[in-house]
Amino acid sequence: MIWTDRIRQVKIFLVIAAVFIAVASLVVSHFLVRDLAEEERNRMAVWAEAMRTLNNADENTDLNLVLKVINENNSIPVIVMDSENHAQTFRNVDVEGKDYADSLAYASAIGLRLLKQGKNIKIELDDSTHDYIQVCYDESLMIRRLSAYPYIQLGVVMLFVVIAIFALLTSKRAEQNKVWVGLSKETAHQLGTPISSLMAWIEILKMNYPDDELIPEMNQDIQRLQLIADRFSKIGALPEPVPASLNEVMNHVIDYMDRRTSKKVKMVKEIPEQDVIVKMNASLFEWVIENLSKNAVDAMGVNGGQITLHVEETDDKAIIEVSDTGNGIRKKNLKNVFRPGFTTKKRGWGLGLSLAKRIVEEYHHGKIWVKSTEIGHGTTFRIELKKE
């Protein structure tokens, strides 16, 4: 199992664990709110009984306990409606800025809404006349806060988790970039000494064997090493792009790949006759096309196939497509192809496409993605660069 699959499984496990914790928190909060709401209903039942006693009281009735029960309700909104659904009195209902008549009309509207919601207790006042009142009540401010609190809490926790993950990923990416840049520059530095020595030996060979046909080929390989060292030295330096011919870059790649790949691999170029000029660092962008082409060769295997380099331009951008007739990419791997370390080869570091993405997006402010892929039929990578 490749390490990216393990990372995906860990992420799935963490998401499932987070969802489980969230659901458990909501369930516990639901039961807590339900128990508090039941307790408030019982309090309202006692309050309604106190109202019935107050309505039926005579001069011999002790109202001290009744009034105490009624006056101790300082949190639950309650509206007393008569049999015609008109508010008689109310408590803990916000009617600020309204006169008494408007307050009763406002309370009546709220009471009707509570009746429809079933938040009421019917109190019979007189069995003979069947007169009654409706004690309508709403949830207290505390219950409303408790109902909303779990969602606010989960939102804050999720926001914290997202910020923490983003900070960790940013820190990790910055650390990886430092290691990558340091490794690249150290590689360029280490290559510099043997390359300089080889160049000196080539000059000596030219003087001693001026007619040797192998010396120019050796010189080309040394120039290639020099180009590679130069590319590594530019990693992390953000070289300033300059106008360059995209046609020349593609032709260089085709010439290089033709000499170093099997005769079973056919390189096809679809390039406009006129030069496509784009601001770029030519040597680094050539590296991108080489990496895509080498991956295409590996994808086609020993049977070979065809690699097509297609270039077109619009008014504001240049479009490059590298297509092959190889094995294609599995859908589960599409999100990972540009990640450092991802590879399906038995050998390889999995840095080619990651490097290509870095050069295209960070150095040239372009875009690169897998345009299409089909198992057994090949893959097309697409690059878009701004012309300005």
Side-chain angles (χ1 to χ4, degrees):
M1 180 184 296
I2 59 179
W3 66 276
T4 50
D5 289 335
R6 292 179 181 174
I7 291 178
R8 187 184 298 111
Q9 290 180 354
V10 170
K11 288 181 179 179
I12 293 173
F13 172 77
L14 291 176
V15 169
I16 293 175
V19 170
F20 175 78
I21 294 172
V23 171
S25 177
L26 291 175
V27 169
V28 171
S29 299
H30 169 74
F31 284 112
L32 176 62
V33 170
R34 187 194 64 179
D35 292 342
L36 288 175
E38 184 64 27
E39 182 179 344
E40 284 194 354
R41 182 175 179 84
N42 293 335
R43 288 176 59 189
M44 281 296 95
V46 174
W47 197 91
E49 183 62 26
M51 286 297 299
R52 187 187 68 80
T53 303
L54 182 62
N55 276 275
N56 295 333
D58 54 28
E59 63 275 4
N60 298 320
T61 304
D62 186 3
L63 298 178
N64 289 331
L65 181 60
V66 172
L67 294 175
K68 183 178 180 180
V69 171
I70 293 174
N71 292 328
E72 282 184 349
N73 175 28
N74 296 313
S75 58
I76 304 173
V78 59
I79 301 169
V80 179
M81 311 274 286
D82 60 20
S83 57
E84 296 180 357
N85 293 334
H86 294 146
Q88 290 184 328
T89 186
F90 54 85
R91 190 176 183 86
N92 303 323
V93 177
D94 185 12
V95 291
E96 185 177 354
K98 295 180 174 64
D99 57 26
Y100 184 72
D102 290 339
S103 298
L104 285 178
Y106 179 73
S108 296
I110 297 177
L112 288 173
R113 174 174 59 82
L114 295 175
L115 282 173
K116 291 179 181 179
Q117 295 176 358
K119 297 179 178 179
N120 66 290
I121 299 175
K122 186 176 180 180
I123 302 296
E124 297 287 347
L125 298 178
D126 191 341
D127 294 338
S128 60
T129 60
H130 300 290
D131 192 17
Y132 65 90
I133 61 173
Q134 297 277 12
V135 176
C136 304
Y137 62 93
D138 202 357
E139 294 175 342
S140 65
L141 181 60
M142 180 179 293
I143 286 188
R144 289 199 294 269
R145 286 176 176 175
L146 286 175
S147 299
Y149 177 74
Y151 298 97
I152 297 174
Q153 182 185 36
L154 289 175
V156 172
V157 170
M158 291 301 296
L159 180 61
F160 175 78
V161 170
V162 169
I163 293 175
I165 292 175
F166 177 77
L168 289 173
L169 291 177
T170 301
S171 175
K172 182 179 179 182
R173 190 178 297 112
E175 184 178 352
Q176 289 176 339
N177 287 341
K178 289 181 180 179
V179 173
W180 174 252
V181 171
L183 179 62
S184 300
K185 291 187 177 297
E186 181 63 20
T187 301
H189 176 72
Q190 294 296 334
L191 286 174
T193 301
I195 289 174
S196 299
S197 178
L198 288 171
M199 292 174 69
W201 282 111
I202 285 292
E203 294 302 320
I204 295 174
L205 289 174
K206 285 181 180 179
M207 290 187 294
N208 293 333
Y209 306 97
D211 298 327
D212 195 319
E213 297 179 354
L214 295 178
I215 294 177
E217 293 297 325
M218 294 172 62
N219 187 56
Q220 287 185 5
D221 286 336
I222 293 174
Q223 294 298 324
R224 178 69 185 177
L225 285 174
Q226 181 64 43
L227 176 63
I228 292 172
D230 180 63
R231 288 171 175 173
F232 275 110
S233 69
K234 291 178 180 177
I235 295 296
L238 290 177
E240 186 68 25
V242 296
S245 171
L246 194 55
N247 303 52
E248 290 185 8
V249 170
M250 306 304 282
N251 287 327
H252 288 166
V253 173
I254 291 173
D255 291 341
Y256 174 76
M257 295 298 297
D258 271 340
R259 294 197 303 269
R260 288 165 175 80
T261 54
S262 168
K263 298 299 180 182
K264 295 180 180 180
V265 176
K266 182 181 179 182
M267 300 290 296
V268 176
K269 63 179 180 179
E270 299 174 354
I271 303 175
E273 294 182 0
Q274 73 279 7
D275 272 350
V276 179
I277 305 300
V278 180
K279 279 190 174 183
M280 67 170 75
N281 182 284
S283 63
L284 286 181
F285 193 76
E286 188 175 322
W287 201 359
V288 172
I289 306 302
E290 284 179 13
N291 278 329
L292 294 177
S293 300
K294 288 177 181 178
N295 280 347
V297 171
D298 293 336
M300 292 185 292
V302 295
N303 295 325
Q306 178 175 302
I307 300 175
T308 303
L309 302 182
H310 173 82
V311 176
E312 62 180 273
E313 62 177 332
T314 63
D315 293 337
D316 59 345
K317 62 186 175 182
I319 299 171
I320 305 99
E321 292 185 354
V322 180
S323 305
D324 63 65
T325 56
N327 297 326
I329 303 173
R330 296 182 182 276
K331 289 184 178 180
K332 70 174 184 178
N333 293 331
L334 283 175
K335 294 182 179 179
N336 300 318
V337 292
F338 292 109
R339 290 186 178 178
F342 174 81
T343 179
T344 56
K345 306 173 189 176
K346 293 182 179 179
R347 296 182 179 181
W349 291 94
L351 295 176
L353 289 177
S354 173
L355 176 63
K357 184 178 180 67
R358 182 189 181 99
I359 292 174
V360 171
E361 296 187 353
E362 294 188 17
Y363 294 174
H364 294 88
H365 306 291
K367 297 179 182 178
I368 179 172
W369 71 94
V370 179
K371 179 185 177 183
S372 62
T373 185
E374 186 176 353
I375 300 298
H377 291 82
T379 301
T380 298
F381 284 87
R382 185 183 178 102
I383 301 172
E384 290 186 0
L385 299 177
K386 295 180 180 178
K387 293 177 65 175
E388 297 180 357

